[in-house]
Amino acid sequence: MYERGNKQGMHRIILYIIVLITLSLLVKRTLDRIPEQGAFQQKASQDARQTTVVPGYTDFHDNRPQYKPLIDLSTASVDGDVISREYLFGFSSKQKRDAFIDLAYERGFRILDRMNFAHAVRIGFDNESELKKLLQEGPDPVSQGPNHMVRIPSDFTQQPAEQTVPYESFGGTALSWLGVEKNNMQWGEGITVAVLDTGIIPHSFSMGRSVVHRNMLDPEDTGYNSYGVHGTAVASLIASNSDMFPGISPDVDIISVKVLTGDGIGDAFTLAKGIVDAVDHGADVINLSLGSSGDNYLLRQAVDYAVAHDVAVVAAVGNDGVSGITYPARYEEVIAVTAVDAAGIHLHFSNKGEEIDLSAPGLDLYIQVGDKQVASFSGTSAAVPFVSGSIAHLLSENPDITTLEAASLIVEYTNDTGLPGEDVETGHGILDTGRVLEKDRKGVYNIALMKPYVHEGTADAENITVSVSAQNRGTEMLNAVTVAVETSDSVYENTFHDVAVNQTVSYDFTIAKPSSQYADSVSISGTADLNNQKDVYPEDNTGFWKITITPLNP
């Protein structure tokens, strides 16, 4: 008996050893995969100064199912990007909101999200009559409305066939075009810019003094499985430390707030939550290269919250080529940015609207996305980071001014273009970071001749009207400015006195339309002269242009 039991014991020991060996081999195979990934992460981390992953803000505290909404473009209405079967409510207190949530949950509604700000809740429903019944039985909300789709600006079409003068790409020249000094690696020091977008792909390249990642869509996702290139490209234009193509303010601290999927789709509730989160975590500037066609009450409240905390909100106007800009850029408190090419021409895909504040580079901008990889980025999305980064640097250089004062200066010291004065295509003008930084320098006398603006007229009009303008882009009053233009058969001249800083002077002349069926090309040359004062930048005092005149309708 003892011998038999001893043999059985030996068998068990041998079997146990075999199991241990098998498990150890499995563990080793698993661990063998880790060094390659770990080595990549270690190498990549050397390319960034500091990268921190922080769980996104969430207000869920109970153990009930937390439904994650599935964002579907097909559910958005044609008018207003309304997401069907979703509604947002705000309450006067957390207690009332939670009581409403309890009742909604009992009635079978989907609790999609909630936040402390505005005591807001996002719910999903299938039956509108049941929703009305819920409102009758539960606590009364103080605000309510549908949820709206939010997206990165749409893809745009190529240059219109009717435009005979080709657009000029920026390539790697945008910073010098904006007057940014070559050694700008310490621009933006001490300022925090929040990029609310698809998230930033970690360690893709060196960026900013530090990068903190927050995820409003899924606080538990620390693996960056759905982070998109759009947010990475936007952030790089602000804060890339690349020697080849640096950002405009490479020394800022970046908060990457993921509010969109990797494909660039999100919703107003999540965007509002991201804005509040960015403010609460110390953002000075919020960059929104995104938009919605719907006016959302909660998003408006979040923008007001940011402005009340002296945070500048900068947003894209959209790439749809229509009249009417997207939200939140359309809100008065938001700095709305459109795009121009390297010749200062408004890009046709950029939306138009009275709410536009200024223009910035937006065509074929080079960004470095790897050690030897370069990509091109275009659109109003690309224009916004230049404004955000310029505000950041201005704040860094002038710690005594408020963020909103810095934003106002950025808009005030733009270069007028297009229709003289503020217009629906380019706003107050084109961003000129160098001018803003030079605003306190004494003795800068500079008049800049603008490209003539051809007014749209009726097809049967015999003449077209052309405006010729010049802007005082110096820092001193100009005693006398003479603006002259010459066409093939006429000379026009006008003198203006006491031209204030940033003021644009202008006058009109007419050109007869060709009577034949073919369009005609008219050459225009012009000069702007300071008479007895010396212009410090004489290169922008002259110009030569060709404009195409459509024939008179038969």
Side-chain angles (χ1 to χ4, degrees), residues 19 25 31 71 79 132 198 216 220 222 301 381 430 454 456 478 496 513 525:
V19 171
L25 289 173
L31 293 176
I71 299 175
D79 182 20
K132 292 179 179 178
T198 62
M216 298 297 106
E220 304 303 321
T222 58
Q301 288 182 349
S381 282
I430 299 173
V454 181
E456 293 183 4
L478 302 179
F496 304 87
K513 286 186 177 180
S525 59

Side-chain angles (χ1 to χ4, degrees), residues 245-515:
F245 306 115
I248 190 167
S249 288
D251 212 24
V252 297
D253 295 292
I254 291 287
I255 305 176
S256 170
V257 186
K258 182 173 173 59
V259 296
L260 305 176
T261 66
D263 295 330
I265 303 172
D267 68 278
F269 185 97
T270 305
L271 177 57
K273 185 168 67 171
I275 291 173
V276 172
D277 187 79
V279 173
D280 290 347
H281 285 85
D284 299 296
V285 183
I286 293 177
N287 190 102
L288 302 175
S289 294
L290 46 72
S292 171
S293 61
D295 182 3
N296 185 274
Y297 87 87
L298 188 61
L299 179 57
R300 184 186 290 268
Q301 288 182 349
V303 167
D304 290 341
Y305 180 78
V307 173
H309 286 76
D310 193 34
V311 177
V313 183
V314 191
V317 303
N319 294 347
D320 308 297
V322 299
S323 294
I325 69 176
T326 55
Y327 296 95
R330 193 181 293 194
Y331 298 143
E332 182 179 356
E333 301 83 359
V334 175
I335 302 159
V337 184
T338 189
V340 294
D341 76 343
I345 297 174
H346 171 261
L347 295 167
H348 75 282
F349 55 76
S350 300
N351 294 348
K352 304 176 184 179
E354 295 179 354
E355 302 85 355
I356 293 175
D357 290 297
L358 75 165
S359 311
L363 185 69
D364 291 336
L365 299 151
Y366 288 169
I367 58 174
Q368 187 173 347
V369 295
D371 291 340
K372 297 181 180 180
Q373 293 177 311
V374 176
S376 175
F377 189 24
S378 297
T380 56
S381 282
V384 175
F386 290 109
V387 178
S388 298
S390 294
I391 294 173
H393 180 58
L394 190 58
L395 285 170
S396 179
E397 291 288 294
N398 301 271
D400 294 332
I401 66 174
T402 68
T403 302
L404 301 184
E405 286 172 343
S408 296
L409 287 171
I410 291 290
V411 174
E412 180 182 354
Y413 284 86
T414 52
N415 294 338
D416 197 4
T417 188
L419 185 68
E422 187 178 0
D423 60 73
V424 298
E425 288 190 344
T426 59
H428 290 83
I430 299 173
L431 173 68
D432 189 333
T433 308
R435 275 193 67 207
V436 181
L437 298 176
E438 199 178 49
K439 64 182 179 60
D440 295 325
R441 176 184 163 193
K442 301 297 183 181
V444 178
Y445 297 91
N446 177 32
I447 190 71
L449 184 67
M450 296 162 51
K451 179 182 178 180
Y453 182 84
V454 181
H455 294 259
E456 293 183 4
T458 59
D460 57 351
E462 295 183 357
N463 300 306
I464 63 166
T465 301
V466 179
S467 294
V468 58
S469 310
Q471 183 185 22
N472 179 357
R473 296 180 184 171
T475 62
E476 305 287 352
M477 175 86 73
L478 302 179
N479 296 331
V481 174
T482 299
V483 181
V485 291
E486 181 177 353
T487 65
S488 57
D489 55 6
S490 300
V491 176
Y492 306 90
E493 184 177 290
N494 208 333
T495 299
F496 304 87
H497 297 278
D498 299 328
V499 181
V501 175
N502 291 324
Q503 181 182 350
T504 297
V505 293
S506 176
Y507 63 89
D508 297 340
F509 63 93
T510 60
I511 298 176
K513 286 186 177 180
S515 55

